[in-house]
Every structure is written in structure tokens, then in C-alpha cells.
Amino acid sequence: MDLGLKDRVVVVTGGSSGIGLAAVRVFLEDGARVAFCARGIERLEVVAAELADEFGADRVLARAFSVLDADAVAGFAGDVQATFGGCDALVTNAGQGRVSTFEDTSDADWREELELKFFSQLHPIRAFQAMLRESEAGAIVAVNSLLALQPEPHMVCTSAARAGLQNLLKSLATELAPHIRVNSILLGLVDSAQWQRRFDARDDPSQSRDEWYDALARTKKIPLGRLGQPSEPARAIAFLASPAASYITGAKLEISGGVSRFA
Ligand code: NDP
């Protein structure tokens, strides 16, 4: 199926690693021009150079900043406008989860987590809204988590923030229609830098990577028996961001290997 992404302009936040990087690759492979950001400049520059080599420097734009810095996000939107002339799709992916129970989450932790989960979406959406409105195929795909609907006690503030975000996205799907479609993906466990960090900090250093990941999949009772690979949500992101999904808005797509417990 042709997704209709050729020559479209796509922006991906958090594009230097994991799911965001896999999404950047899928968009480039499908012929789009892609702008992406991350905070860490070293990894960003390495990734951007590799992608420019493979797909052409005129199709890749990378900038280092935090999506929590509204001025920096606005500056990035200006660069995208100046370089590519507009924006057809925005993927709000930047972020990470926080492992903590109610007992060990301080007020400062709550504020930090709520700020990350909401403003990592609000700043880019505000900054790119006018360009997305101008596009004939404007679309936002927000990367969210199954925790939004299925909270986990060991990730209490991330779960609550994810639920609030899902609610916000539904409102935006109505407010930004009919010009901009707004959809989300709900992730289960996907192998990325986040899980690599948790593997590196494992209790039993004698456990191999395969053993640790297999045990994790068993503990989490993932019906497909494994964690997802970043390319798997990336393909779903590309579909929802593309003109091929032209009649889909306000929807959520679960990408979790079947781990949800609701019908
Ligand atoms: P990775 O850590 O592999 O990638 C995260 C990317 O986001 C990196 O490029 C990182 O670069 C960037 N980033 C993080 N914070 C910021 C920020 N404030 N401003 C700009 N860029 C930022 O993680 P994943 O691919 O796993 O995560 C992608 C999204 O999916 C996250 O929002 C995460 O919470 C969510 N998610 C992931 C799950 C999983 O199992 N993998 C499960 C549920 C949700 P840098 O650090 O240099 O800024």
C-alpha cells in the first residue's frame, strides 16, 4: 500500500533513539523529508549524519534541544518552515517513563512528570499547529502508553499523567478537526534505550540480555511472548501520520503484543 508520504514533511520529537529513530527511518524510506530533535547533541549528530548519507542531506534536519523549552521548539518550527516550507505531520514521541510508587514519589517528582507528559505534547503542537493547518493532510500522532488505560502501581505518576494526556488528545481531535487529524498509539513494552538502561541496572549481572528480556516478557505475561521492536510501533505511527489514514481521528491504536487486560 502506498501511504502517500512521498515528499511530505514530517517532524518527529525524540528522533535520535528507539521508537522515534525507527519512525524517522520509516518516513525517510517512504520518501518523506524529516525533521527531528533530541537533547543530546552527540548521538543526534551521529544519527543525522548516517541518515543524511543514506537518504540525502536535503531530506534530513536535526536540532538539539528539549521539547520542554517552548522557545526552542518555536525556533525549530521556524527552521522547519524555512528549510522544508511547511509541515504535514507531527509525531510527539520525546520522553521517558518514571518508575515510582505513590509512597516514593515526591511533589517535585509529580510536577516534573506532569510537565514532561503534558508539555512535551503541548509545545510542539502549538508550534506546528499553523503549518499542519495549512497542509492538505495535517496529522498529529502522539506516542502514549497503555498505562493511560491500565495503570501500574510501580509507575503511579506516569500512569496518571498518561491518562490525562489521552484525555487531552481526544479533546484536540475535536478542536483541531477537520484540518488536523489527532491519533495516538498506546505502547506496551518496546525494546529501546529505556529498557536497555533498566537491563544495565539489573539485580543479577550474570543474567544475559536474552535471559533478562525473556524473563521480562514472561513476568509481564505478553501473549506474543516478547517485547516489541521499535520498527513495529514505527510502522503504525507512519500509517496514522499518512494520508492513507485520512478518515481516522481521535483513535488510539494499541501496540503491545496483546498485553492489555481490557476488551
Ligand atoms: P528512548 O530512550 O530510546 O528514546 C527517547 C528519545 O526521546 C531519544 O531520542 C531522547 O533523546 C529523546 N528525548 C527524551 N526526552 C526529551 C526531551 N525532553 N526533549 C527532546 N527529546 C527528548 O525511548 P523510547 O523509544 O522507548 O521512547 C519513546 C517514547 O515512547 C517515550 O515518550 C516513552 O515514554 C514512550 N514509551 C515507551 C515505552 C517502551 O516500552 N519503550 C512504553 C511506553 C511509552 P535525548 O535523551 O538525547 O533527549
Side-chain angles (χ1 to χ4, degrees):
M1 178 171 62
D2 177 8
L3 295 182
L5 284 166
K6 187 158 174 17
D7 295 329
R8 302 268 177 199
V9 177
V10 182
V11 170
V12 179
T13 66
S16 68
S17 165
I19 296 155
L21 174 56
V24 167
R25 290 200 74 90
V26 172
F27 286 120
L28 287 167
E29 283 162 5
D30 273 25
R33 291 170 287 163
V34 183
F36 61 101
C37 68
R39 293 164 303 178
I41 191 159
E42 272 178 39
R43 185 169 54 182
L44 186 77
E45 283 183 342
V46 170
V47 164
E50 283 170 8
L51 294 171
D53 262 5
E54 195 173 339
F55 297 101
D58 57 336
R59 291 176 56 203
V60 176
L61 178 71
R63 292 285 182 272
F65 61 88
S66 170
V67 288
L68 299 184
D69 178 345
D71 292 341
V73 179
F76 179 50
D79 287 351
V80 171
Q81 173 90 64
T83 309
F84 293 142
C87 173
D88 300 295
L90 168 67
V91 180
T92 47
N93 162 76
Q96 60 187 43
R98 175 185 291 271
V99 177
S100 68
T101 62
F102 178 68
E103 196 59 37
D104 57 30
T105 309
S106 68
D107 285 359
D109 293 338
W110 275 99
R111 288 199 181 89
E112 195 176 279
E113 185 64 358
L114 291 170
E115 185 190 6
L116 175 63
K117 292 298 176 291
F118 281 97
F119 286 95
S120 64
Q121 303 284 329
L122 295 173
H123 289 154
I125 291 172
R126 280 222 186 90
F128 285 94
Q129 192 179 336
M131 279 186 266
L132 292 169
R133 214 184 143 85
E134 291 273 300
S135 165
E136 54 169 32
I140 295 168
V141 182
V143 174
N144 205 359
S145 162
L146 208 47
L147 295 172
L149 304 180
Q150 185 167 288
E152 296 278 356
H154 72 285
M155 293 186 77
V156 70
C157 65
T158 294
S159 299
R162 292 285 190 198
L165 170 60
Q166 198 59 31
N167 185 293
L168 165 69
L169 294 168
K170 194 70 180 173
S171 296
L172 287 177
T174 306
E175 187 170 334
L176 303 187
H179 306 288
I180 306 172
R181 296 181 300 103
V182 181
N183 293 295
S184 59
I185 60 163
L186 299 181
L187 298 173
L189 284 71
V190 176
D191 187 0
S192 70
Q194 291 199 66
W195 285 105
Q196 182 64 40
R197 284 193 293 274
R198 291 177 200 173
F199 165 69
D200 291 342
R202 66 197 179 285
D203 292 334
D204 174 7
S206 71
Q207 218 173 7
S208 72
R209 198 173 189 279
D210 283 352
E211 286 166 348
W212 190 84
Y213 274 84
D214 286 350
L216 181 61
R218 275 198 305 279
T219 309
K220 298 290 182 183
K221 299 190 171 62
I222 302 174
L224 292 188
R226 62 176 176 84
L227 271 68
Q229 289 304 307
S231 61
E232 296 179 298
R235 290 196 289 267
I237 291 169
F239 168 66
L240 288 173
S242 77
S246 53
Y247 200 54
I248 303 177
T249 197
K252 50 187 181 299
L253 180 55
E254 179 187 333
I255 300 158
S256 71
V259 85
S260 64
R261 293 190 298 271
F262 46 83

PDB file of all heavy atoms in Angstrom, residues 43-78:
ATOM      1  N   ARG A  43      24.721  12.021  20.078  1.00  0.00           N
ATOM      2  CA  ARG A  43      24.006  10.927  19.411  1.00  0.00           C
ATOM      3  C   ARG A  43      23.191  11.479  18.234  1.00  0.00           C
ATOM      4  O   ARG A  43      23.114  10.881  17.168  1.00  0.00           O
ATOM      5  CB  ARG A  43      23.094  10.228  20.429  1.00  0.00           C
ATOM      6  CG  ARG A  43      22.393   9.005  19.873  1.00  0.00           C
ATOM      7  CD  ARG A  43      21.713   8.200  20.953  1.00  0.00           C
ATOM      8  NE  ARG A  43      20.800   9.008  21.766  1.00  0.00           N
ATOM      9  CZ  ARG A  43      20.113   8.548  22.788  1.00  0.00           C
ATOM     10  NH1 ARG A  43      20.251   7.290  23.157  1.00  0.00           N
ATOM     11  NH2 ARG A  43      19.294   9.316  23.475  1.00  0.00           N
ATOM     12  N   LEU A  44      22.601  12.659  18.430  1.00  0.00           N
ATOM     13  CA  LEU A  44      21.779  13.272  17.374  1.00  0.00           C
ATOM     14  C   LEU A  44      22.611  13.501  16.119  1.00  0.00           C
ATOM     15  O   LEU A  44      22.176  13.195  15.000  1.00  0.00           O
ATOM     16  CB  LEU A  44      21.196  14.596  17.886  1.00  0.00           C
ATOM     17  CG  LEU A  44      20.212  15.285  16.958  1.00  0.00           C
ATOM     18  CD1 LEU A  44      18.851  14.598  17.027  1.00  0.00           C
ATOM     19  CD2 LEU A  44      20.051  16.763  17.331  1.00  0.00           C
ATOM     20  N   GLU A  45      23.819  14.035  16.310  1.00  0.00           N
ATOM     21  CA  GLU A  45      24.658  14.350  15.143  1.00  0.00           C
ATOM     22  C   GLU A  45      25.098  13.079  14.418  1.00  0.00           C
ATOM     23  O   GLU A  45      25.142  13.048  13.186  1.00  0.00           O
ATOM     24  CB  GLU A  45      25.867  15.189  15.571  1.00  0.00           C
ATOM     25  CG  GLU A  45      25.449  16.636  15.809  1.00  0.00           C
ATOM     26  CD  GLU A  45      26.619  17.539  16.176  1.00  0.00           C
ATOM     27  OE1 GLU A  45      27.691  17.005  16.573  1.00  0.00           O
ATOM     28  OE2 GLU A  45      26.456  18.767  16.074  1.00  0.00           O
ATOM     29  N   VAL A  46      25.421  12.035  15.189  1.00  0.00           N
ATOM     30  CA  VAL A  46      25.834  10.761  14.570  1.00  0.00           C
ATOM     31  C   VAL A  46      24.690  10.208  13.720  1.00  0.00           C
ATOM     32  O   VAL A  46      24.851   9.844  12.549  1.00  0.00           O
ATOM     33  CB  VAL A  46      26.256   9.732  15.653  1.00  0.00           C
ATOM     34  CG1 VAL A  46      26.448   8.350  15.047  1.00  0.00           C
ATOM     35  CG2 VAL A  46      27.520  10.193  16.362  1.00  0.00           C
ATOM     36  N   VAL A  47      23.496  10.173  14.337  1.00  0.00           N
ATOM     37  CA  VAL A  47      22.321   9.628  13.654  1.00  0.00           C
ATOM     38  C   VAL A  47      21.992  10.464  12.416  1.00  0.00           C
ATOM     39  O   VAL A  47      21.726   9.931  11.328  1.00  0.00           O
ATOM     40  CB  VAL A  47      21.127   9.608  14.650  1.00  0.00           C
ATOM     41  CG1 VAL A  47      19.808   9.440  13.925  1.00  0.00           C
ATOM     42  CG2 VAL A  47      21.314   8.502  15.671  1.00  0.00           C
ATOM     43  N   ALA A  48      22.017  11.795  12.572  1.00  0.00           N
ATOM     44  CA  ALA A  48      21.658  12.682  11.454  1.00  0.00           C
ATOM     45  C   ALA A  48      22.639  12.497  10.291  1.00  0.00           C
ATOM     46  O   ALA A  48      22.224  12.473   9.119  1.00  0.00           O
ATOM     47  CB  ALA A  48      21.643  14.136  11.920  1.00  0.00           C
ATOM     48  N   ALA A  49      23.929  12.332  10.612  1.00  0.00           N
ATOM     49  CA  ALA A  49      24.929  12.153   9.548  1.00  0.00           C
ATOM     50  C   ALA A  49      24.688  10.839   8.806  1.00  0.00           C
ATOM     51  O   ALA A  49      24.758  10.783   7.574  1.00  0.00           O
ATOM     52  CB  ALA A  49      26.332  12.183  10.144  1.00  0.00           C
ATOM     53  N   GLU A  50      24.376   9.769   9.558  1.00  0.00           N
ATOM     54  CA  GLU A  50      24.105   8.465   8.921  1.00  0.00           C
ATOM     55  C   GLU A  50      22.883   8.567   8.000  1.00  0.00           C
ATOM     56  O   GLU A  50      22.888   8.076   6.870  1.00  0.00           O
ATOM     57  CB  GLU A  50      23.829   7.392   9.992  1.00  0.00           C
ATOM     58  CG  GLU A  50      25.094   6.897  10.672  1.00  0.00           C
ATOM     59  CD  GLU A  50      24.788   6.013  11.884  1.00  0.00           C
ATOM     60  OE1 GLU A  50      23.605   5.649  12.110  1.00  0.00           O
ATOM     61  OE2 GLU A  50      25.742   5.712  12.614  1.00  0.00           O
ATOM     62  N   LEU A  51      21.839   9.226   8.488  1.00  0.00           N
ATOM     63  CA  LEU A  51      20.600   9.325   7.695  1.00  0.00           C
ATOM     64  C   LEU A  51      20.811  10.214   6.464  1.00  0.00           C
ATOM     65  O   LEU A  51      20.288   9.922   5.386  1.00  0.00           O
ATOM     66  CB  LEU A  51      19.458   9.868   8.559  1.00  0.00           C
ATOM     67  CG  LEU A  51      19.017   8.929   9.699  1.00  0.00           C
ATOM     68  CD1 LEU A  51      18.046   9.645  10.635  1.00  0.00           C
ATOM     69  CD2 LEU A  51      18.362   7.659   9.148  1.00  0.00           C
ATOM     70  N   ALA A  52      21.582  11.292   6.644  1.00  0.00           N
ATOM     71  CA  ALA A  52      21.852  12.184   5.504  1.00  0.00           C
ATOM     72  C   ALA A  52      22.624  11.434   4.424  1.00  0.00           C
ATOM     73  O   ALA A  52      22.359  11.582   3.235  1.00  0.00           O
ATOM     74  CB  ALA A  52      22.623  13.410   5.979  1.00  0.00           C
ATOM     75  N   ASP A  53      23.586  10.584   4.849  1.00  0.00           N
ATOM     76  CA  ASP A  53      24.354   9.760   3.892  1.00  0.00           C
ATOM     77  C   ASP A  53      23.435   8.831   3.112  1.00  0.00           C
ATOM     78  O   ASP A  53      23.570   8.664   1.910  1.00  0.00           O
ATOM     79  CB  ASP A  53      25.330   8.857   4.676  1.00  0.00           C
ATOM     80  CG  ASP A  53      26.702   9.464   4.708  1.00  0.00           C
ATOM     81  OD1 ASP A  53      26.852  10.589   4.217  1.00  0.00           O
ATOM     82  OD2 ASP A  53      27.616   8.797   5.254  1.00  0.00           O
ATOM     83  N   GLU A  54      22.536   8.201   3.858  1.00  0.00           N
ATOM     84  CA  GLU A  54      21.684   7.166   3.260  1.00  0.00           C
ATOM     85  C   GLU A  54      20.551   7.757   2.411  1.00  0.00           C
ATOM     86  O   GLU A  54      20.220   7.216   1.359  1.00  0.00           O
ATOM     87  CB  GLU A  54      21.114   6.301   4.390  1.00  0.00           C
ATOM     88  CG  GLU A  54      20.515   5.004   3.916  1.00  0.00           C
ATOM     89  CD  GLU A  54      20.107   4.097   5.087  1.00  0.00           C
ATOM     90  OE1 GLU A  54      20.632   4.275   6.221  1.00  0.00           O
ATOM     91  OE2 GLU A  54      19.247   3.227   4.857  1.00  0.00           O
ATOM     92  N   PHE A  55      19.971   8.863   2.871  1.00  0.00           N
ATOM     93  CA  PHE A  55      18.747   9.361   2.209  1.00  0.00           C
ATOM     94  C   PHE A  55      18.926  10.728   1.545  1.00  0.00           C
ATOM     95  O   PHE A  55      18.009  11.198   0.878  1.00  0.00           O
ATOM     96  CB  PHE A  55      17.595   9.444   3.229  1.00  0.00           C
ATOM     97  CG  PHE A  55      17.211   8.102   3.806  1.00  0.00           C
ATOM     98  CD1 PHE A  55      17.651   7.722   5.070  1.00  0.00           C
ATOM     99  CD2 PHE A  55      16.424   7.219   3.083  1.00  0.00           C
ATOM    100  CE1 PHE A  55      17.304   6.487   5.601  1.00  0.00           C
ATOM    101  CE2 PHE A  55      16.070   5.978   3.607  1.00  0.00           C
ATOM    102  CZ  PHE A  55      16.515   5.608   4.870  1.00  0.00           C
ATOM    103  N   GLY A  56      20.054  11.387   1.777  1.00  0.00           N
ATOM    104  CA  GLY A  56      20.290  12.705   1.184  1.00  0.00           C
ATOM    105  C   GLY A  56      20.143  13.807   2.221  1.00  0.00           C
ATOM    106  O   GLY A  56      19.146  13.851   2.950  1.00  0.00           O
ATOM    107  N   ALA A  57      21.150  14.695   2.260  1.00  0.00           N
ATOM    108  CA  ALA A  57      21.176  15.752   3.289  1.00  0.00           C
ATOM    109  C   ALA A  57      19.992  16.707   3.136  1.00  0.00           C
ATOM    110  O   ALA A  57      19.550  17.309   4.118  1.00  0.00           O
ATOM    111  CB  ALA A  57      22.493  16.517   3.189  1.00  0.00           C
ATOM    112  N   ASP A  58      19.455  16.838   1.931  1.00  0.00           N
ATOM    113  CA  ASP A  58      18.337  17.764   1.724  1.00  0.00           C
ATOM    114  C   ASP A  58      17.008  17.236   2.268  1.00  0.00           C
ATOM    115  O   ASP A  58      16.009  17.939   2.267  1.00  0.00           O
ATOM    116  CB  ASP A  58      18.176  18.081   0.224  1.00  0.00           C
ATOM    117  CG  ASP A  58      17.979  16.818  -0.607  1.00  0.00           C
ATOM    118  OD1 ASP A  58      18.401  15.728  -0.157  1.00  0.00           O
ATOM    119  OD2 ASP A  58      17.372  16.914  -1.688  1.00  0.00           O
ATOM    120  N   ARG A  59      17.015  15.985   2.765  1.00  0.00           N
ATOM    121  CA  ARG A  59      15.762  15.418   3.306  1.00  0.00           C
ATOM    122  C   ARG A  59      15.798  15.258   4.817  1.00  0.00           C
ATOM    123  O   ARG A  59      14.848  14.735   5.414  1.00  0.00           O
ATOM    124  CB  ARG A  59      15.494  14.066   2.650  1.00  0.00           C
ATOM    125  CG  ARG A  59      15.137  14.199   1.160  1.00  0.00           C
ATOM    126  CD  ARG A  59      14.964  12.840   0.513  1.00  0.00           C
ATOM    127  NE  ARG A  59      13.974  12.058   1.215  1.00  0.00           N
ATOM    128  CZ  ARG A  59      13.915  10.713   1.173  1.00  0.00           C
ATOM    129  NH1 ARG A  59      14.781  10.046   0.471  1.00  0.00           N
ATOM    130  NH2 ARG A  59      12.973  10.080   1.832  1.00  0.00           N
ATOM    131  N   VAL A  60      16.899  15.706   5.451  1.00  0.00           N
ATOM    132  CA  VAL A  60      17.074  15.468   6.889  1.00  0.00           C
ATOM    133  C   VAL A  60      17.418  16.773   7.603  1.00  0.00           C
ATOM    134  O   VAL A  60      18.312  17.502   7.171  1.00  0.00           O
ATOM    135  CB  VAL A  60      18.216  14.445   7.126  1.00  0.00           C
ATOM    136  CG1 VAL A  60      18.479  14.248   8.608  1.00  0.00           C
ATOM    137  CG2 VAL A  60      17.902  13.111   6.457  1.00  0.00           C
ATOM    138  N   LEU A  61      16.695  17.063   8.683  1.00  0.00           N
ATOM    139  CA  LEU A  61      17.008  18.245   9.508  1.00  0.00           C
ATOM    140  C   LEU A  61      16.994  17.807  10.965  1.00  0.00           C
ATOM    141  O   LEU A  61      16.007  17.217  11.420  1.00  0.00           O
ATOM    142  CB  LEU A  61      15.940  19.330   9.282  1.00  0.00           C
ATOM    143  CG  LEU A  61      16.075  20.609  10.098  1.00  0.00           C
ATOM    144  CD1 LEU A  61      17.256  21.435   9.612  1.00  0.00           C
ATOM    145  CD2 LEU A  61      14.794  21.427  10.004  1.00  0.00           C
ATOM    146  N   ALA A  62      18.094  18.060  11.697  1.00  0.00           N
ATOM    147  CA  ALA A  62      18.153  17.631  13.101  1.00  0.00           C
ATOM    148  C   ALA A  62      18.561  18.816  13.971  1.00  0.00           C
ATOM    149  O   ALA A  62      19.467  19.573  13.606  1.00  0.00           O
ATOM    150  CB  ALA A  62      19.157  16.493  13.255  1.00  0.00           C
ATOM    151  N   ARG A  63      17.905  18.964  15.113  1.00  0.00           N
ATOM    152  CA  ARG A  63      18.229  20.046  16.046  1.00  0.00           C
ATOM    153  C   ARG A  63      18.248  19.506  17.475  1.00  0.00           C
ATOM    154  O   ARG A  63      17.399  18.695  17.839  1.00  0.00           O
ATOM    155  CB  ARG A  63      17.188  21.164  15.972  1.00  0.00           C
ATOM    156  CG  ARG A  63      17.182  21.949  14.662  1.00  0.00           C
ATOM    157  CD  ARG A  63      18.378  22.911  14.579  1.00  0.00           C
ATOM    158  NE  ARG A  63      18.375  23.702  13.366  1.00  0.00           N
ATOM    159  CZ  ARG A  63      18.927  23.344  12.204  1.00  0.00           C
ATOM    160  NH1 ARG A  63      19.550  22.176  12.104  1.00  0.00           N
ATOM    161  NH2 ARG A  63      18.872  24.131  11.154  1.00  0.00           N
ATOM    162  N   ALA A  64      19.202  20.006  18.282  1.00  0.00           N
ATOM    163  CA  ALA A  64      19.322  19.547  19.671  1.00  0.00           C
ATOM    164  C   ALA A  64      18.689  20.555  20.621  1.00  0.00           C
ATOM    165  O   ALA A  64      19.121  21.717  20.661  1.00  0.00           O
ATOM    166  CB  ALA A  64      20.788  19.348  20.021  1.00  0.00           C
ATOM    167  N   PHE A  65      17.675  20.138  21.339  1.00  0.00           N
ATOM    168  CA  PHE A  65      17.035  20.960  22.387  1.00  0.00           C
ATOM    169  C   PHE A  65      16.033  20.089  23.133  1.00  0.00           C
ATOM    170  O   PHE A  65      15.730  18.970  22.691  1.00  0.00           O
ATOM    171  CB  PHE A  65      16.326  22.186  21.778  1.00  0.00           C
ATOM    172  CG  PHE A  65      15.228  21.822  20.818  1.00  0.00           C
ATOM    173  CD1 PHE A  65      13.943  21.596  21.264  1.00  0.00           C
ATOM    174  CD2 PHE A  65      15.491  21.661  19.462  1.00  0.00           C
ATOM    175  CE1 PHE A  65      12.931  21.231  20.385  1.00  0.00           C
ATOM    176  CE2 PHE A  65      14.482  21.285  18.575  1.00  0.00           C
ATOM    177  CZ  PHE A  65      13.199  21.070  19.039  1.00  0.00           C
ATOM    178  N   SER A  66      15.522  20.600  24.245  1.00  0.00           N
ATOM    179  CA  SER A  66      14.468  19.881  24.968  1.00  0.00           C
ATOM    180  C   SER A  66      13.099  20.386  24.529  1.00  0.00           C
ATOM    181  O   SER A  66      12.891  21.602  24.418  1.00  0.00           O
ATOM    182  CB  SER A  66      14.612  20.082  26.480  1.00  0.00           C
ATOM    183  OG  SER A  66      13.453  19.563  27.126  1.00  0.00           O
ATOM    184  N   VAL A  67      12.166  19.466  24.340  1.00  0.00           N
ATOM    185  CA  VAL A  67      10.803  19.873  23.977  1.00  0.00           C
ATOM    186  C   VAL A  67      10.113  20.620  25.116  1.00  0.00           C
ATOM    187  O   VAL A  67       9.041  21.177  24.921  1.00  0.00           O
ATOM    188  CB  VAL A  67       9.936  18.673  23.529  1.00  0.00           C
ATOM    189  CG1 VAL A  67      10.360  18.173  22.176  1.00  0.00           C
ATOM    190  CG2 VAL A  67       9.949  17.556  24.562  1.00  0.00           C
ATOM    191  N   LEU A  68      10.727  20.625  26.301  1.00  0.00           N
ATOM    192  CA  LEU A  68      10.149  21.384  27.412  1.00  0.00           C
ATOM    193  C   LEU A  68      10.509  22.867  27.331  1.00  0.00           C
ATOM    194  O   LEU A  68      10.015  23.675  28.113  1.00  0.00           O
ATOM    195  CB  LEU A  68      10.618  20.789  28.750  1.00  0.00           C
ATOM    196  CG  LEU A  68      10.182  19.334  28.957  1.00  0.00           C
ATOM    197  CD1 LEU A  68      10.591  18.833  30.337  1.00  0.00           C
ATOM    198  CD2 LEU A  68       8.675  19.182  28.766  1.00  0.00           C
ATOM    199  N   ASP A  69      11.367  23.219  26.405  1.00  0.00           N
ATOM    200  CA  ASP A  69      11.774  24.614  26.199  1.00  0.00           C
ATOM    201  C   ASP A  69      10.931  25.190  25.042  1.00  0.00           C
ATOM    202  O   ASP A  69      11.215  24.957  23.865  1.00  0.00           O
ATOM    203  CB  ASP A  69      13.282  24.630  25.867  1.00  0.00           C
ATOM    204  CG  ASP A  69      13.802  26.032  25.585  1.00  0.00           C
ATOM    205  OD1 ASP A  69      12.992  26.952  25.363  1.00  0.00           O
ATOM    206  OD2 ASP A  69      15.043  26.187  25.570  1.00  0.00           O
ATOM    207  N   ALA A  70       9.891  25.940  25.408  1.00  0.00           N
ATOM    208  CA  ALA A  70       8.920  26.410  24.404  1.00  0.00           C
ATOM    209  C   ALA A  70       9.589  27.267  23.326  1.00  0.00           C
ATOM    210  O   ALA A  70       9.249  27.159  22.142  1.00  0.00           O
ATOM    211  CB  ALA A  70       7.809  27.194  25.093  1.00  0.00           C
ATOM    212  N   ASP A  71      10.535  28.116  23.727  1.00  0.00           N
ATOM    213  CA  ASP A  71      11.196  28.985  22.737  1.00  0.00           C
ATOM    214  C   ASP A  71      12.009  28.156  21.747  1.00  0.00           C
ATOM    215  O   ASP A  71      12.035  28.449  20.548  1.00  0.00           O
ATOM    216  CB  ASP A  71      12.116  29.991  23.433  1.00  0.00           C
ATOM    217  CG  ASP A  71      11.317  31.003  24.239  1.00  0.00           C
ATOM    218  OD1 ASP A  71      10.103  31.139  23.970  1.00  0.00           O
ATOM    219  OD2 ASP A  71      11.904  31.638  25.137  1.00  0.00           O
ATOM    220  N   ALA A  72      12.690  27.128  22.272  1.00  0.00           N
ATOM    221  CA  ALA A  72      13.496  26.270  21.386  1.00  0.00           C
ATOM    222  C   ALA A  72      12.590  25.518  20.410  1.00  0.00           C
ATOM    223  O   ALA A  72      12.931  25.369  19.231  1.00  0.00           O
ATOM    224  CB  ALA A  72      14.318  25.281  22.221  1.00  0.00           C
ATOM    225  N   VAL A  73      11.443  25.065  20.890  1.00  0.00           N
ATOM    226  CA  VAL A  73      10.517  24.341  19.998  1.00  0.00           C
ATOM    227  C   VAL A  73      10.010  25.295  18.912  1.00  0.00           C
ATOM    228  O   VAL A  73       9.938  24.936  17.727  1.00  0.00           O
ATOM    229  CB  VAL A  73       9.335  23.733  20.786  1.00  0.00           C
ATOM    230  CG1 VAL A  73       8.385  23.004  19.844  1.00  0.00           C
ATOM    231  CG2 VAL A  73       9.836  22.769  21.854  1.00  0.00           C
ATOM    232  N   ALA A  74       9.697  26.536  19.308  1.00  0.00           N
ATOM    233  CA  ALA A  74       9.231  27.523  18.316  1.00  0.00           C
ATOM    234  C   ALA A  74      10.331  27.815  17.298  1.00  0.00           C
ATOM    235  O   ALA A  74      10.063  27.939  16.094  1.00  0.00           O
ATOM    236  CB  ALA A  74       8.791  28.803  19.030  1.00  0.00           C
ATOM    237  N   GLY A  75      11.576  27.882  17.763  1.00  0.00           N
ATOM    238  CA  GLY A  75      12.712  28.111  16.848  1.00  0.00           C
ATOM    239  C   GLY A  75      12.858  26.963  15.858  1.00  0.00           C
ATOM    240  O   GLY A  75      13.122  27.165  14.667  1.00  0.00           O
ATOM    241  N   PHE A  76      12.662  25.754  16.349  1.00  0.00           N
ATOM    242  CA  PHE A  76      12.724  24.548  15.497  1.00  0.00           C
ATOM    243  C   PHE A  76      11.633  24.624  14.416  1.00  0.00           C
ATOM    244  O   PHE A  76      11.900  24.348  13.236  1.00  0.00           O
ATOM    245  CB  PHE A  76      12.521  23.327  16.397  1.00  0.00           C
ATOM    246  CG  PHE A  76      12.516  21.986  15.721  1.00  0.00           C
ATOM    247  CD1 PHE A  76      13.522  21.606  14.845  1.00  0.00           C
ATOM    248  CD2 PHE A  76      11.512  21.063  16.010  1.00  0.00           C
ATOM    249  CE1 PHE A  76      13.525  20.337  14.259  1.00  0.00           C
ATOM    250  CE2 PHE A  76      11.503  19.799  15.437  1.00  0.00           C
ATOM    251  CZ  PHE A  76      12.504  19.435  14.557  1.00  0.00           C
ATOM    252  N   ALA A  77      10.423  25.027  14.830  1.00  0.00           N
ATOM    253  CA  ALA A  77       9.325  25.142  13.851  1.00  0.00           C
ATOM    254  C   ALA A  77       9.708  26.159  12.767  1.00  0.00           C
ATOM    255  O   ALA A  77       9.451  25.933  11.575  1.00  0.00           O
ATOM    256  CB  ALA A  77       8.037  25.542  14.559  1.00  0.00           C
ATOM    257  N   GLY A  78      10.355  27.258  13.179  1.00  0.00           N
ATOM    258  CA  GLY A  78      10.807  28.247  12.204  1.00  0.00           C
ATOM    259  C   GLY A  78      11.826  27.659  11.238  1.00  0.00           C
ATOM    260  O   GLY A  78      11.770  27.893  10.024  1.00  0.00           O
TER     261      GLY A  78
END
